[in-house]
Amino acid sequence: MPVKILATGDLHIGNQSSRIPDDALEGSLNREDFSCGKMWDRLVECAIEQKVDLVLLSGDIVHKNTGYLAAIGRLERGLKELYSKGIQTYATGGNHDYRVFQELAQSLESISGFHTIRKKGEWEYLECKRDGELLARIHGWCFPDQHHTENPLMGYSPPQDEDAVVPTVGLLHANLDYPPGDKYAPVPLTDLQSKENVAIWVLGHQHAPTPKEEIAGRPIVFYPGSPQAMKPGENGDHGPWIIEIDGSSTVSSCQQLPLSSVRYDEWPIDITDCENEDLKITIQNEATRYAETTLSDLKHPPHLTLLRLVLSGESAAHQGYRNEEFAESIYSEDLSSTGETEIYVEKIIDDSRPVIDLAEVAKRKDPMGVIARLVIDLESDNPSSKLDGLIADCQNKLGEVHQRVHYKNICEEIEDGPDEAKRILIQQARRLLLKLQEQGPTQ
């Protein structure tokens, strides 16, 4: 008998999408529309609409161990509604909710149709039945603590008396293909694929959905990802997956339904030859092109898209977005012209260059010549070794800033490697060149 499953990971009820501009909330939308709790409500509706047999939740159902109160009532309502339609739910705990998951499971254990993997750090084998008929087997492992450095498959020993009439689904919260000793249950892909008794592994922990790993005759392995995109960097489609399995091992379909109410994306814009007064029009035109190429074919377009624009090219409009009046307008205006999705700029990364003939300026013996030669060296494929100290100093300074509590409160994504240090040095050196050029020739 075919089995239809709605699978998702990393719900994080109690959290919500970040960087939502206040201007986007002036109409019919409010912050609740971008909450992970609201996404759970949508998942329940989707499971019922899709007429699935069961729902799988692969850990981090609650955002950190403080999210019990935010989750308990909402989960209870949703689970009861699912079971009223004959849909059972199977869940395991992750590293975020390793403690509170036990409390949730205990509080909700009286709800028919809700089944949990509760033995910390141990495998459990559950049978999914409907009207006494066996539909599927669930093999699951529950995250035991905030950190777990061992491969969870070391304790995997499935029952030997299983027949091959119904599919077996693996439910696991872990870090796929991370090196041994990683803090979040590192497990090699090849280990998962070697378990031929499993039809598909549904993983949790990674928020970005990953392509399905398929090898003929081996189980599929994939991360469904977080259904609600929560921060920049979690780009592209987010939402639950519908899995259909025929017989004991044939996964006939595994498709994502992009239901996230917000979408984060990065969009490159070449501003070569663009003047300052044209910059806003250029960005608006690119936002329209983004909507036409990315959003137009979506069956469930998001309420809101937050674009991270990456400017490139040599242009007089370099750093033009820093103009106070321009910045105030570009971050507060909906750039969409058609469709159901509002589009806002989340951040501008200016990798463009001012219109400066570096080679010519580098011939000079004044400070501008020194800086121009530095930029040429930094931008080369193999910067000279004499810059190693400068890059290392910049990297150390970045690390110091990123450790400050005030910085952590405003920035969730932190990069402080050598490539980021080089980028900052080039950006600041070019900015300094531009300022010196504006001041005119030295006396």
Side-chain angles (χ1 to χ4, degrees):
M1 174 187 295
V3 177
K4 192 172 185 181
I5 301 169
L6 182 145
T8 191
D10 298 85
L11 268 169
H12 285 273
I13 297 175
N15 198 14
Q16 63 180 6
S17 302
S18 63
R19 310 285 289 178
I20 305 297
D22 291 338
D23 301 87
L25 304 173
E26 293 180 351
S28 59
L29 299 176
N30 56 60
R31 296 208 178 273
E32 170 66 7
D33 292 309
F34 304 103
S35 73
C36 297
K38 185 71 171 180
M39 169 52 74
W40 164 246
D41 298 341
R42 287 197 292 273
L43 291 179
V44 171
E45 294 173 4
C46 178
I48 294 171
E49 179 183 312
Q50 292 288 325
K51 298 180 179 178
V52 303
D53 297 301
L54 61 145
V55 170
L56 295 180
L57 308 176
S58 58
D60 283 358
I61 297 169
V62 178
H63 184 62
K64 300 183 179 179
N65 286 309
T66 55
Y68 177 87
L69 292 178
I72 184 66
R74 205 156 206 160
L75 280 171
E76 183 175 6
R77 289 192 297 273
L79 292 169
K80 286 181 176 179
E81 188 172 355
L82 288 170
Y83 190 66
S84 73
K85 304 297 182 182
I87 301 170
Q88 301 191 56
T89 303
Y90 291 79
T92 192
N95 61 291
H96 265 275
D97 56 6
Y98 71 93
R99 184 185 303 121
V100 75
F101 182 75
Q102 308 299 320
E103 299 175 33
L104 281 172
Q106 185 174 354
S107 298
L108 300 172
E109 65 182 356
S110 63
I111 297 178
S112 298
F114 182 51
H115 313 276
T116 56
I117 308 296
R118 292 173 61 178
K119 295 180 181 178
K120 290 188 173 185
E122 297 183 27
W123 286 92
E124 293 186 63
Y125 309 100
L126 308 178
E127 293 186 341
C128 175
K129 295 182 178 180
R130 184 176 59 200
D131 299 328
E133 183 177 0
L134 185 62
L135 293 179
R137 293 184 174 91
I138 311 298
H139 288 188
W141 181 87
C142 184
F143 220 90
D145 210 332
Q146 184 176 7
H147 299 138
H148 185 79
T149 58
E150 296 181 357
N151 177 356
L153 281 186
M154 292 175 63
Y156 181 72
S157 180
Q160 298 300 310
D161 58 346
E162 294 181 5
D163 53 39
V165 177
V166 299
T168 295
V169 178
L171 194 60
L172 175 65
H173 198 88
N175 244 351
L176 185 63
D177 267 351
Y178 271 66
D182 178 79
K183 296 189 296 185
Y184 301 111
V187 58
L189 172 63
T190 52
D191 282 9
L192 294 172
Q193 291 174 330
S194 71
K195 308 305 179 185
E196 297 180 16
N197 59 303
V198 177
I200 186 168
W201 287 98
V202 178
L203 306 182
H205 189 62
Q206 299 293 338
H207 289 189
T210 62
K212 303 182 295 297
E213 296 284 354
E214 297 187 48
I215 297 178
R218 301 288 182 175
I220 288 175
V221 180
F222 86 115
Y223 283 102
S226 52
Q228 178 72 11
M230 288 175 274
K231 61 183 179 180
E234 297 182 2
N235 294 346
D237 294 336
H238 280 255
W241 292 66
I242 302 297
I243 303 167
E244 297 187 46
I245 308 176
D246 294 329
S248 63
S249 61
T250 303
V251 178
S252 57
S253 177
C254 186
Q255 299 294 326
Q256 186 185 40
L257 299 179
L259 298 182
S260 179
S261 58
V262 64
R263 181 187 180 102
Y264 300 95
D265 263 330
E266 196 170 275
W267 191 251
I269 302 179
D270 188 341
I271 60 170
T272 299
D273 299 328
C274 180
E275 301 292 334
N276 269 326
E277 58 269 22
D278 300 328
L279 184 56
K280 185 173 181 179
I281 295 174
T282 299
I283 289 175
Q284 288 173 326
N285 290 340
E286 284 295 317
T288 299
R289 189 164 75 89
Y290 164 82
E292 291 173 348
T293 58
T294 307
L295 302 179
S296 60
D297 293 331
L298 292 180
K299 185 177 180 180
H300 303 281
H303 296 321
L304 176 68
T305 288
L306 296 179
L307 281 182
R308 181 164 288 190
L309 306 179
V310 182
L311 309 184
S312 63
E314 192 169 278
S315 171
H318 168 74
Q319 298 293 317
Y321 76 97
R322 289 182 174 273
N323 175 279
E324 186 175 344
E325 182 179 344
F326 173 84
E328 183 178 346
S329 64
I330 204 66
Y331 288 110
S332 62
E333 292 183 8
D334 174 14
L335 299 180
S336 59
S337 56
T338 58
E340 304 174 45
T341 304
E342 295 182 10
I343 301 175
Y344 284 82
V345 173
E346 180 266 325
K347 184 178 183 180
I348 294 178
I349 299 174
D350 195 350
D351 287 338
S352 68
R353 303 181 299 277
V355 183
I356 295 176
D357 188 339
L358 280 179
E360 189 63 32
V361 175
K363 297 175 184 178
R364 295 164 54 166
K365 297 182 179 180
D366 60 2
M368 285 191 69
V370 174
I371 297 169
R373 291 190 290 274
L374 173 65
V375 172
I376 291 173
D377 198 353
L378 284 168
E379 290 184 341
S380 67
D381 292 336
N382 297 295
S384 60
S385 59
K386 66 183 180 181
L387 295 182
D388 291 348
L390 177 63
I391 294 171
D393 286 345
C394 180
Q395 187 176 346
N396 290 335
K397 291 295 183 184
L398 282 174
E400 290 175 10
V401 172
H402 292 163
Q403 291 304 312
R404 294 174 186 170
V405 64
H406 303 297
Y407 187 90
K408 289 184 176 180
N409 287 339
I410 63 172
C411 184
E412 297 179 353
E413 295 179 274
I414 296 178
E415 297 179 14
D416 51 16
D419 289 342
E420 178 67 5
K422 279 176 58 179
R423 190 187 73 81
I424 293 291
L425 286 169
I426 292 169
Q427 181 188 69
Q428 296 303 314
R430 283 186 168 276
R431 189 175 298 169
L432 181 55
L433 271 179
L434 191 60
K435 285 294 182 184
L436 291 173
Q437 182 176 260
E438 292 171 354
Q439 292 174 10
T442 56
Q443 300 299 320

